[in-house]
Amino acid sequence: MPNVFLVGAGPGDPGLLTLRAKEIIETCDVMIYDYLANADFLKWCRPDCEILYVGKKGGDHTLPQDKINELIVDKARSGKTICRLKGGDPYVFGRGGEEAEELVEAGIDFEVVPGITAGVAAAAYAGIPVTHRDHTTSVCFITGHEDPTKGESGHNWAVYGQSSSTLVFYMGVGNLPMIAENLMRNGRAADTPVALVRWGTRCNQQSFVSTLENVAADAAERGFKAPSIIIVGGVCSLHDKLGWFEKKPLLGQGVVVTRAREQASGLVEILRGHGACVYEFPTIAVEHLDDYAEVETAILQLARYQWVVFTSVNGVKFFWEQLSAIGLDSRIFGGMQIAAIGPATADELKARGIIPDFVPDKYVAEHVVEGLLALGIQGQDVLIPRARVAREVLPEELKKAGCRVTVLPVYETRLVQQSGEEITAALDKGAIQYVTFTSSSTVENFFELVPAETLRRYPDVRLASIGPVTSATLARFGFTPSIEPGDYTIPGLVDALVGSVAPDKG
Ligand code: SAH
């Protein structure tokens, strides 16, 4: 079995990574990655994986190529599985060929996992098909940054100038005036459309279309820098018509998600789907209790209750975990009545074969009590499996209504101790437009990590709160959220956020 994998990480959008690449990232012993390989992928590495960065920093290589080659060979000789992760495709201007040759010389077996190259992906995300029957019959991938040690240009400008091929230049922004000049001098019309796509497929993608004649000045005026792809040819005229990615309502908007990592994925995915640059800043962690004796006793005496009220997705998950641990399943609920405080909790129950008898229209404790009373919960025995520390409104109100309530902690939440530096730095750069809060504890914990005075310095940053209880907690810190959905759910929160962006984007 080969133990070195030269893996393409694709152009940046995590969804454009291949299944094979993900598999190798998840299982490798050593990860050696580059500047353009999306660092988000590292979260899939095993906890004991050795992670080495060999990419560029401020224009310099942290490690020269021969040292990278040596490093790969050394690590491979130790018998470990190496993932050599490179942006785009490893064999398209990635020096993957050189690394592979070194491996062959060292007698080390390897495999290549192709990736989606930026020249195709960034173009597609900018509405540019690299070939199109009306415009061109071929496409060339060209380096815009020739080896400076080579005396003469290796490019045959006459061929590029006279062909109708779509030309895709990598690493060319710095040489844009020279590239445009050479193409015009060799026969390409001055009004040939040219597109530049920067950070293609990522939430911060930017692009524009110009002409050979004007593109260098336009790029300079816009301050367009690397990493950008330059596309030359008639296909670029389709940019406006076929562009889709840059129309996403939250494209380029920095949104902080404060939810526990275990619960955040849904919210993060929807926000990314709308184009947002998501900053995951989990302020709470969801954890097991030290001791489940009380839960086990409650499960074994479950028949005492007429109602079980689940108040969170985690309540369902942790309750079922204990149920399975003692060899029982959903049948234990028999004819009991079951309530879910919101649609996500209801879905979690349905996934376990339970259709809740009650799901309120409004997802706060007060409404739940009203609804439950209407169903005749008064005077009955009620079990509420939930977090150790949570709001007491629901149990209190049910007690007032004459229920015998047992609150059963099945998990706990705690403050994630982390530095607020990354968020503060992003605020400083103007990279954050929204901070989302999905519960009162996310508010309290956020301000433990990022002081309220810090956030106050950025009055343009909008706060999004899931509902009135969370908003009241924000008010205690002196903030008024500018976004609060009508229904207090995650999808509602995202809709409200999307609705709040400038109308020209919405
Ligand atoms: N192996 C990579 C290319 C590496 S060369 C691939 O197949 O995509 C580095 C150049 O690729 C950058 O200078 C830039 O021109 C281009 N590039 C890489 N990622 C890009 C992106 N997301 N958007 C635009 N250009 C990108």
Side-chain angles (χ1 to χ4, degrees):
M1 276 292 282
N3 65 333
V4 179
F5 297 86
L6 300 176
V7 180
D13 178 342
L16 298 180
L17 188 78
T18 64
L19 296 175
R20 180 72 176 134
K22 183 163 188 249
E23 203 171 85
I24 292 163
I25 295 170
E26 284 167 342
T27 53
C28 66
D29 300 310
V30 183
M31 159 65 78
I32 303 177
Y33 75 105
D34 272 359
Y35 171 56
L36 286 173
N38 193 336
D40 274 1
F41 299 147
L42 303 179
K43 65 173 184 242
W44 293 323
C45 290
R46 294 194 334 242
D48 59 340
C49 175
E50 184 184 1
I51 298 177
L52 303 168
Y53 177 66
V54 296
K56 279 182 199 164
K57 227 187 217 163
D60 300 324
H61 277 96
T62 42
L63 262 195
Q65 188 64 43
D66 54 338
K67 295 279 184 234
I68 297 178
N69 298 350
E70 251 173 54
L71 177 72
I72 298 172
V73 169
D74 277 359
K75 292 286 175 196
R77 286 218 167 105
S78 68
K80 291 181 169 160
T81 302
I82 322 289
C83 174
R84 172 70 180 110
L85 191 67
K86 294 164 153 303
D89 181 272
Y91 278 0
V92 179
F93 305 123
R95 306 189 73 165
E98 294 163 50
E99 291 173 15
E101 283 183 307
E102 287 287 327
L103 290 166
V104 170
E105 270 161 41
I108 295 164
D109 289 342
F110 66 93
E111 278 182 20
V112 180
V113 182
I116 304 184
T117 188
V120 172
Y125 273 50
I128 302 170
V130 288
T131 73
H132 185 295
R133 290 207 304 174
D134 293 345
H135 298 278
T136 180
T137 53
S138 63
V139 54
C140 288
F141 297 120
I142 307 166
T143 172
H145 173 87
E146 286 188 272
D147 183 346
T149 58
K150 264 199 241 159
E152 280 184 20
S153 170
H155 292 324
N156 188 338
W157 289 107
V159 169
Y160 301 148
Q162 279 145 38
S163 85
S164 64
S165 188
T166 302
L167 308 178
V168 180
F169 290 90
Y170 290 68
M171 301 171 282
V173 198
N175 287 332
L176 191 55
M178 180 276 282
I179 292 169
E181 186 54 42
N182 273 320
L183 292 175
M184 286 187 291
R185 198 176 321 128
N186 285 281
R188 283 260 171 145
D191 62 355
T192 305
V194 182
L196 259 71
V197 188
R198 178 161 197 240
W199 285 122
T201 80
R202 302 203 186 199
C203 64
N204 50 345
Q205 171 174 314
Q206 288 177 315
S207 66
F208 73 94
V209 177
S210 180
T211 57
L212 271 182
E213 189 174 30
N214 297 324
V215 70
D218 285 349
E221 194 186 306
R222 291 166 189 258
F224 238 72
K225 297 200 193 93
S228 299
I229 281 289
I230 304 165
I231 308 154
V232 180
V235 287
C236 296
S237 62
L238 294 163
H239 170 271
D240 287 349
K241 187 170 171 192
L242 302 186
W244 56 276
F245 185 62
E246 286 170 48
K247 293 194 180 126
K248 288 184 179 265
L250 298 179
L251 193 84
Q253 302 283 312
V255 184
V256 179
V257 171
T258 54
R259 260 199 138 188
R261 200 177 289 287
E262 297 81 358
Q263 296 174 292
S265 62
L267 176 57
V268 170
E269 266 162 41
I270 321 180
L271 287 169
R272 289 220 172 105
H274 285 300
C277 297
V278 178
Y279 291 79
E280 285 186 69
F281 187 64
T283 58
I284 42 185
V286 176
E287 295 193 336
H288 282 101
L289 304 176
D290 291 335
D291 181 14
Y292 276 96
E294 195 191 339
V295 179
E296 190 175 330
T297 310
I299 289 174
L300 295 174
Q301 297 174 355
L302 205 64
R304 283 181 34 204
Y305 300 96
Q306 285 91 48
W307 276 90
V308 182
V309 180
F310 287 97
T311 58
S312 69
V313 167
N314 281 315
V316 176
K317 282 189 182 157
F318 283 87
F319 186 88
W320 250 265
E321 202 179 279
Q322 292 311 310
L323 199 58
S324 308
I326 37 181
L328 295 170
D329 61 28
S330 306
R331 283 171 293 179
I332 193 164
F333 289 100
M336 230 170 274
Q337 307 263 64
I338 296 183
I341 201 169
T345 307
D347 286 345
E348 208 61 41
L349 285 166
K350 285 180 199 153
R352 288 163 175 82
I354 304 276
I355 298 172
D357 301 282
F358 173 69
V359 187
D361 303 331
K362 282 268 186 186
Y363 309 112
V364 281
E366 292 77 353
H367 289 270
V368 180
V369 176
E370 264 172 42
L372 287 170
L373 286 176
L375 287 180
I377 200 170
Q378 198 165 2
Q380 307 223 301
D381 288 285
V382 182
L383 182 71
I384 309 180
R386 59 165 218 190
R388 184 182 296 289
V389 179
R391 291 178 73 221
E392 295 305 329
V393 182
L394 179 64
E396 290 306 323
E397 292 297 311
L398 287 173
K399 276 181 203 159
K400 276 190 217 152
C403 298
R404 285 174 300 277
V405 178
T406 305
V407 166
L408 180 69
V410 292
Y411 67 98
E412 57 194 344
T413 57
R414 71 171 172 78
L415 169 67
V416 175
Q417 279 303 346
Q418 60 176 326
S419 152
E421 258 169 48
E422 192 206 340
I423 295 298
T424 312
L427 281 166
D428 247 353
K429 278 198 293 181
I432 291 175
Q433 280 69 45
Y434 297 93
V435 184
T436 61
F437 296 99
T438 48
S439 68
S440 289
S441 30
T442 62
V443 176
E444 282 154 2
N445 292 355
F446 180 83
F447 289 122
E448 285 271 316
L449 304 167
V450 177
E453 301 75 67
T454 306
L455 189 60
R456 241 186 289 284
R457 291 209 304 270
Y458 306 95
D460 291 343
V461 173
R462 300 208 226 174
L463 307 188
S465 153
I466 195 157
V469 177
T470 304
S471 299
T473 310
L474 274 168
R476 276 206 284 116
F477 288 89
F479 292 95
T480 312
S482 50
I483 295 154
E484 193 194 284
D487 69 341
Y488 316 138
T489 64
I490 294 286
L493 180 68
V494 177
D495 284 349
L497 207 148
V498 168
S500 81
V501 288
D504 61 319
K505 284 212 124 195

